[in-house]
PDB file of all heavy atoms in Angstrom:
ATOM      1  N   TRP C 263      52.778  46.360 -44.711  1.00  0.00           N
ATOM      2  CA  TRP C 263      51.789  45.833 -45.638  1.00  0.00           C
ATOM      3  C   TRP C 263      51.916  44.221 -45.615  1.00  0.00           C
ATOM      4  O   TRP C 263      50.819  43.587 -45.628  1.00  0.00           O
ATOM      5  CB  TRP C 263      52.111  46.358 -47.065  1.00  0.00           C
ATOM      6  CG  TRP C 263      51.288  45.621 -48.107  1.00  0.00           C
ATOM      7  CD1 TRP C 263      51.728  44.567 -48.868  1.00  0.00           C
ATOM      8  CD2 TRP C 263      49.990  45.955 -48.585  1.00  0.00           C
ATOM      9  NE1 TRP C 263      50.668  44.231 -49.685  1.00  0.00           N
ATOM     10  CE2 TRP C 263      49.739  45.003 -49.539  1.00  0.00           C
ATOM     11  CE3 TRP C 263      49.062  46.957 -48.182  1.00  0.00           C
ATOM     12  CZ2 TRP C 263      48.491  45.128 -50.285  1.00  0.00           C
ATOM     13  CZ3 TRP C 263      47.920  46.978 -48.845  1.00  0.00           C
ATOM     14  CH2 TRP C 263      47.583  46.050 -49.826  1.00  0.00           C
ATOM     15  N   LEU C 271      46.721  38.298 -49.005  1.00  0.00           N
ATOM     16  CA  LEU C 271      46.313  38.484 -50.459  1.00  0.00           C
ATOM     17  C   LEU C 271      47.132  37.735 -51.475  1.00  0.00           C
ATOM     18  O   LEU C 271      46.674  37.143 -52.372  1.00  0.00           O
ATOM     19  CB  LEU C 271      46.391  40.035 -50.786  1.00  0.00           C
ATOM     20  CG  LEU C 271      45.317  40.831 -50.095  1.00  0.00           C
ATOM     21  CD1 LEU C 271      45.721  42.292 -50.214  1.00  0.00           C
ATOM     22  CD2 LEU C 271      43.963  40.564 -50.492  1.00  0.00           C
ATOM     23  N   TRP C 276      47.972  33.368 -55.247  1.00  0.00           N
ATOM     24  CA  TRP C 276      48.689  32.064 -55.706  1.00  0.00           C
ATOM     25  C   TRP C 276      47.747  30.826 -55.662  1.00  0.00           C
ATOM     26  O   TRP C 276      47.975  29.967 -56.527  1.00  0.00           O
ATOM     27  CB  TRP C 276      49.935  31.871 -54.698  1.00  0.00           C
ATOM     28  CG  TRP C 276      50.919  33.005 -54.821  1.00  0.00           C
ATOM     29  CD1 TRP C 276      51.091  33.815 -55.876  1.00  0.00           C
ATOM     30  CD2 TRP C 276      51.773  33.452 -53.849  1.00  0.00           C
ATOM     31  NE1 TRP C 276      52.133  34.682 -55.622  1.00  0.00           N
ATOM     32  CE2 TRP C 276      52.579  34.484 -54.306  1.00  0.00           C
ATOM     33  CE3 TRP C 276      52.060  33.030 -52.507  1.00  0.00           C
ATOM     34  CZ2 TRP C 276      53.616  35.130 -53.684  1.00  0.00           C
ATOM     35  CZ3 TRP C 276      53.066  33.608 -51.867  1.00  0.00           C
ATOM     36  CH2 TRP C 276      53.785  34.677 -52.367  1.00  0.00           C
ATOM     37  N   ILE C 280      47.266  28.536 -58.925  1.00  0.00           N
ATOM     38  CA  ILE C 280      47.416  27.060 -58.891  1.00  0.00           C
ATOM     39  C   ILE C 280      46.212  26.331 -59.436  1.00  0.00           C
ATOM     40  O   ILE C 280      46.391  25.460 -60.347  1.00  0.00           O
ATOM     41  CB  ILE C 280      47.720  26.467 -57.415  1.00  0.00           C
ATOM     42  CG1 ILE C 280      49.111  26.986 -57.061  1.00  0.00           C
ATOM     43  CG2 ILE C 280      47.591  25.016 -57.410  1.00  0.00           C
ATOM     44  CD1 ILE C 280      49.495  26.774 -55.567  1.00  0.00           C
ATOM     45  N   CYS C 283      46.240  26.844 -63.217  1.00  0.00           N
ATOM     46  CA  CYS C 283      47.253  26.095 -63.848  1.00  0.00           C
ATOM     47  C   CYS C 283      46.932  24.658 -63.956  1.00  0.00           C
ATOM     48  O   CYS C 283      47.576  23.884 -64.706  1.00  0.00           O
ATOM     49  CB  CYS C 283      48.628  26.333 -63.298  1.00  0.00           C
ATOM     50  SG  CYS C 283      49.319  27.996 -63.693  1.00  0.00           S
ATOM     51  N   VAL C 287      44.004  25.021 -70.360  1.00  0.00           N
ATOM     52  CA  VAL C 287      43.437  26.117 -71.108  1.00  0.00           C
ATOM     53  C   VAL C 287      43.612  27.412 -70.321  1.00  0.00           C
ATOM     54  O   VAL C 287      43.772  28.484 -70.832  1.00  0.00           O
ATOM     55  CB  VAL C 287      41.946  25.874 -71.486  1.00  0.00           C
ATOM     56  CG1 VAL C 287      41.309  27.103 -72.148  1.00  0.00           C
ATOM     57  CG2 VAL C 287      41.891  24.596 -72.301  1.00  0.00           C
ATOM     58  N   LEU C 303      52.233  41.217 -52.736  1.00  0.00           N
ATOM     59  CA  LEU C 303      53.138  40.913 -51.569  1.00  0.00           C
ATOM     60  C   LEU C 303      53.923  42.234 -51.236  1.00  0.00           C
ATOM     61  O   LEU C 303      54.060  42.414 -50.050  1.00  0.00           O
ATOM     62  CB  LEU C 303      54.079  39.761 -51.972  1.00  0.00           C
ATOM     63  CG  LEU C 303      54.787  39.070 -50.870  1.00  0.00           C
ATOM     64  CD1 LEU C 303      53.799  38.437 -49.867  1.00  0.00           C
ATOM     65  CD2 LEU C 303      55.643  37.924 -51.466  1.00  0.00           C
ATOM     66  N   ILE C 311      50.926  49.194 -65.319  1.00  0.00           N
ATOM     67  CA  ILE C 311      50.700  49.942 -66.540  1.00  0.00           C
ATOM     68  C   ILE C 311      49.970  49.015 -67.559  1.00  0.00           C
ATOM     69  O   ILE C 311      50.112  47.822 -67.561  1.00  0.00           O
ATOM     70  CB  ILE C 311      51.972  50.508 -67.133  1.00  0.00           C
ATOM     71  CG1 ILE C 311      52.948  49.426 -67.400  1.00  0.00           C
ATOM     72  CG2 ILE C 311      52.640  51.462 -66.193  1.00  0.00           C
ATOM     73  CD1 ILE C 311      54.186  49.822 -68.196  1.00  0.00           C
ATOM     74  N   GLY C 317      43.197  43.261 -77.191  1.00  0.00           N
ATOM     75  CA  GLY C 317      42.467  42.714 -78.209  1.00  0.00           C
ATOM     76  C   GLY C 317      41.224  41.958 -77.748  1.00  0.00           C
ATOM     77  O   GLY C 317      40.911  41.971 -76.548  1.00  0.00           O
ATOM     78  N   VAL C 318      40.608  41.304 -78.701  1.00  0.00           N
ATOM     79  CA  VAL C 318      39.347  40.585 -78.336  1.00  0.00           C
ATOM     80  C   VAL C 318      39.700  39.413 -77.399  1.00  0.00           C
ATOM     81  O   VAL C 318      38.969  39.204 -76.362  1.00  0.00           O
ATOM     82  CB  VAL C 318      38.735  40.041 -79.595  1.00  0.00           C
ATOM     83  CG1 VAL C 318      37.441  39.151 -79.231  1.00  0.00           C
ATOM     84  CG2 VAL C 318      38.286  41.191 -80.498  1.00  0.00           C
ATOM     85  N   LEU C 328      36.933  37.756 -64.435  1.00  0.00           N
ATOM     86  CA  LEU C 328      36.047  38.480 -63.572  1.00  0.00           C
ATOM     87  C   LEU C 328      35.050  37.593 -62.970  1.00  0.00           C
ATOM     88  O   LEU C 328      34.766  37.725 -61.785  1.00  0.00           O
ATOM     89  CB  LEU C 328      35.422  39.712 -64.472  1.00  0.00           C
ATOM     90  CG  LEU C 328      34.389  40.544 -63.682  1.00  0.00           C
ATOM     91  CD1 LEU C 328      35.017  41.334 -62.606  1.00  0.00           C
ATOM     92  CD2 LEU C 328      33.683  41.384 -64.701  1.00  0.00           C
ATOM     93  N   TRP C 334      35.950  37.528 -56.339  1.00  0.00           N
ATOM     94  CA  TRP C 334      36.355  37.028 -55.108  1.00  0.00           C
ATOM     95  C   TRP C 334      37.579  37.707 -54.603  1.00  0.00           C
ATOM     96  O   TRP C 334      37.701  38.078 -53.354  1.00  0.00           O
ATOM     97  CB  TRP C 334      36.503  35.539 -55.127  1.00  0.00           C
ATOM     98  CG  TRP C 334      35.219  34.908 -55.529  1.00  0.00           C
ATOM     99  CD1 TRP C 334      34.949  34.310 -56.701  1.00  0.00           C
ATOM    100  CD2 TRP C 334      33.955  34.871 -54.780  1.00  0.00           C
ATOM    101  NE1 TRP C 334      33.631  33.831 -56.755  1.00  0.00           N
ATOM    102  CE2 TRP C 334      32.991  34.182 -55.513  1.00  0.00           C
ATOM    103  CE3 TRP C 334      33.688  35.357 -53.483  1.00  0.00           C
ATOM    104  CZ2 TRP C 334      31.677  34.007 -55.197  1.00  0.00           C
ATOM    105  CZ3 TRP C 334      32.345  35.091 -53.150  1.00  0.00           C
ATOM    106  CH2 TRP C 334      31.415  34.428 -53.905  1.00  0.00           C
ATOM    107  N   ILE C 351      47.611  55.197 -39.127  1.00  0.00           N
ATOM    108  CA  ILE C 351      48.763  54.596 -39.820  1.00  0.00           C
ATOM    109  C   ILE C 351      48.410  53.720 -40.985  1.00  0.00           C
ATOM    110  O   ILE C 351      49.173  53.498 -41.957  1.00  0.00           O
ATOM    111  CB  ILE C 351      49.783  54.005 -38.919  1.00  0.00           C
ATOM    112  CG1 ILE C 351      51.203  53.892 -39.459  1.00  0.00           C
ATOM    113  CG2 ILE C 351      49.173  52.657 -38.422  1.00  0.00           C
ATOM    114  CD1 ILE C 351      52.202  53.523 -38.514  1.00  0.00           C
ATOM    115  N   LEU C 355      47.913  52.204 -46.435  1.00  0.00           N
ATOM    116  CA  LEU C 355      47.888  50.749 -46.769  1.00  0.00           C
ATOM    117  C   LEU C 355      46.511  50.406 -47.272  1.00  0.00           C
ATOM    118  O   LEU C 355      46.316  49.615 -48.191  1.00  0.00           O
ATOM    119  CB  LEU C 355      48.212  49.905 -45.523  1.00  0.00           C
ATOM    120  CG  LEU C 355      49.562  50.175 -44.932  1.00  0.00           C
ATOM    121  CD1 LEU C 355      49.806  49.387 -43.635  1.00  0.00           C
ATOM    122  CD2 LEU C 355      50.681  49.869 -45.889  1.00  0.00           C
ATOM    123  N   ASN C 359      45.507  49.078 -50.948  1.00  0.00           N
ATOM    124  CA  ASN C 359      44.601  47.885 -51.139  1.00  0.00           C
ATOM    125  C   ASN C 359      43.499  48.152 -52.150  1.00  0.00           C
ATOM    126  O   ASN C 359      43.141  47.331 -53.002  1.00  0.00           O
ATOM    127  CB  ASN C 359      44.023  47.463 -49.768  1.00  0.00           C
ATOM    128  CG  ASN C 359      44.022  45.953 -49.639  1.00  0.00           C
ATOM    129  OD1 ASN C 359      43.994  45.166 -50.524  1.00  0.00           O
ATOM    130  ND2 ASN C 359      43.840  45.570 -48.325  1.00  0.00           N
ATOM    131  N   LYS C 361      43.662  50.325 -54.404  1.00  0.00           N
ATOM    132  CA  LYS C 361      44.152  50.552 -55.809  1.00  0.00           C
ATOM    133  C   LYS C 361      44.510  49.216 -56.458  1.00  0.00           C
ATOM    134  O   LYS C 361      44.625  49.143 -57.725  1.00  0.00           O
ATOM    135  CB  LYS C 361      45.442  51.377 -55.688  1.00  0.00           C
ATOM    136  CG  LYS C 361      45.296  52.826 -55.425  1.00  0.00           C
ATOM    137  CD  LYS C 361      46.569  53.530 -55.204  1.00  0.00           C
ATOM    138  CE  LYS C 361      47.676  53.282 -56.314  1.00  0.00           C
ATOM    139  NZ  LYS C 361      48.844  54.020 -56.183  1.00  0.00           N
ATOM    140  N   ILE C 363      42.354  46.685 -56.597  1.00  0.00           N
ATOM    141  CA  ILE C 363      41.114  46.150 -57.108  1.00  0.00           C
ATOM    142  C   ILE C 363      40.928  46.064 -58.605  1.00  0.00           C
ATOM    143  O   ILE C 363      40.585  45.139 -59.197  1.00  0.00           O
ATOM    144  CB  ILE C 363      39.831  46.891 -56.418  1.00  0.00           C
ATOM    145  CG1 ILE C 363      39.863  46.490 -54.899  1.00  0.00           C
ATOM    146  CG2 ILE C 363      38.540  46.408 -57.152  1.00  0.00           C
ATOM    147  CD1 ILE C 363      38.769  47.224 -54.153  1.00  0.00           C
ATOM    148  N   ILE C 374      53.480  44.969 -64.531  1.00  0.00           N
ATOM    149  CA  ILE C 374      53.854  45.661 -63.345  1.00  0.00           C
ATOM    150  C   ILE C 374      55.406  46.029 -63.426  1.00  0.00           C
ATOM    151  O   ILE C 374      56.189  45.120 -63.763  1.00  0.00           O
ATOM    152  CB  ILE C 374      53.676  44.609 -62.079  1.00  0.00           C
ATOM    153  CG1 ILE C 374      52.229  44.258 -62.001  1.00  0.00           C
ATOM    154  CG2 ILE C 374      54.169  45.202 -60.781  1.00  0.00           C
ATOM    155  CD1 ILE C 374      51.955  42.998 -61.066  1.00  0.00           C
ATOM    156  N   ASP C 376      58.760  48.745 -61.975  1.00  0.00           N
ATOM    157  CA  ASP C 376      59.236  49.555 -60.797  1.00  0.00           C
ATOM    158  C   ASP C 376      58.829  51.050 -61.051  1.00  0.00           C
ATOM    159  O   ASP C 376      58.875  51.477 -62.199  1.00  0.00           O
ATOM    160  CB  ASP C 376      60.744  49.350 -60.731  1.00  0.00           C
ATOM    161  CG  ASP C 376      61.123  48.068 -60.185  1.00  0.00           C
ATOM    162  OD1 ASP C 376      60.370  47.428 -59.512  1.00  0.00           O
ATOM    163  OD2 ASP C 376      62.271  47.642 -60.467  1.00  0.00           O
ATOM    164  N   ARG C 379      61.363  53.124 -62.911  1.00  0.00           N
ATOM    165  CA  ARG C 379      61.538  53.010 -64.439  1.00  0.00           C
ATOM    166  C   ARG C 379      60.472  53.676 -65.283  1.00  0.00           C
ATOM    167  O   ARG C 379      60.483  53.816 -66.381  1.00  0.00           O
ATOM    168  CB  ARG C 379      61.440  51.482 -64.798  1.00  0.00           C
ATOM    169  CG  ARG C 379      62.612  50.705 -64.163  1.00  0.00           C
ATOM    170  CD  ARG C 379      62.470  49.296 -64.440  1.00  0.00           C
ATOM    171  NE  ARG C 379      62.581  49.065 -65.951  1.00  0.00           N
ATOM    172  CZ  ARG C 379      62.230  47.974 -66.500  1.00  0.00           C
ATOM    173  NH1 ARG C 379      61.697  47.008 -65.976  1.00  0.00           N
ATOM    174  NH2 ARG C 379      62.278  47.877 -67.857  1.00  0.00           N
TER     175      ARG C 379
END
Side-chain angles (χ1 to χ4, degrees):
W263 171 268
L271 291 170
W276 294 336
I280 290 170
C283 285
V287 176
L303 198 60
I311 61 170
V318 175
L328 175 70
W334 301 108
I351 196 167
L355 303 174
N359 218 341
K361 283 176 53 176
I363 291 176
I374 299 164
D376 290 333
R379 295 180 62 200

